[in-house]
C-alpha cells in the first residue's frame, strides 16, 4: 500500500521494532528442528548475527569472537582499527582508564574466547 507524501512522491509503510510484537507459541519447538543459519552469497553463517562496521561496536577482538561463534562482524576500513598501528594506545589515551565509562566497558569485555562446543 502506497501513501502519498508530497508532490508526486509516494512511500510505502515501514515497520520498526516498536511496531512488531513476537509472542510465544502454544507449541514447543525442538531445537534440533530449527535452523538459524543464513547465507550471504557463497558464505554460510550458523549464528544470525551481523555486527555493524562501527569502531564503537566491532574491534578485531570482537570480530574474532563473533566469527568463532558463527556470526559475521565487519570492521570499519576507514576507522581507528585500520588507521593506526596501535589503536589500543590511541583509545587508552583518548579514554582515561579511571573514568566510570571505561570501567563499565572493561567489565563487559570477555577475557578470553569461549570454548567451542565440539
Amino acid at each position: 500500500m502506497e501513501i502519498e507524501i508530497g508532490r508526486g512522491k509516494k512511500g510505502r509503510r515501514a515497520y520498526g521494532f516498536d511496531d512488531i510484537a513476537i509472542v510465544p507459541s502454544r507449541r514447543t519447538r525442538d531445537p534440533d528442528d530449527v535452523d538459524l543459519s543464513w547465507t550471504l552469497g557463497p558464505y554460510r553463517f550458523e549464528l544470525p548475527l551481523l555486527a555493524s562496521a562501527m569502531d564503537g561496536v566491532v574491534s578485531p577482538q570482537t570480530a574474532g569472537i563473533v566469527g568463532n561463534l558463527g556470526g559475521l562482524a565487519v570492521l570499519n576500513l576507514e576507522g581507528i582499527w585500520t588507521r593506526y598501528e596501535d589503536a589500543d594506545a590511541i583509545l587508552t589515551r583518548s579514554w582515561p582508564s579511571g573514568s566510570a565509562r571505561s570501567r563499565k566497558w572493561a567489565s563487559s569485555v570477555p577475557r578470553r574466547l569461549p570454548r567451542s562446543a565440539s
Side-chain angles (χ1 to χ4, degrees), residues 28-37 44 46:
T28 302
R29 304 286 185 252
D30 185 352
D32 294 333
D33 294 340
V34 179
D35 181 22
L36 297 178
S37 65
R44 180 180 168 89
E46 297 301 320

Side-chain angles (χ1 to χ4, degrees), residues 26-85:
R26 290 184 182 173
R27 294 185 211 132
T28 302
R29 304 286 185 252
D30 185 352
D32 294 333
D33 294 340
V34 179
D35 181 22
L36 297 178
S37 65
W38 58 286
T39 58
L40 181 64
Y43 303 102
R44 180 180 168 89
F45 301 95
E46 297 301 320
L47 181 68
L49 174 67
L50 175 62
S52 177
M54 297 187 308
D55 289 335
V57 176
V58 178
S59 69
Q61 180 185 9
T62 306
I65 292 170
V66 171
N68 286 339
L69 293 173
L72 174 63
V74 182
L75 282 174
N76 180 1
L77 290 181
E78 294 182 4
I80 196 164
W81 299 106
T82 56
R83 206 176 318 150
Y84 298 102
E85 189 75 26

Side-chain angles (χ1 to χ4, degrees), residues 16-24:
F17 289 118
D18 293 337
D19 301 323
I20 299 171
I22 299 175
V23 295

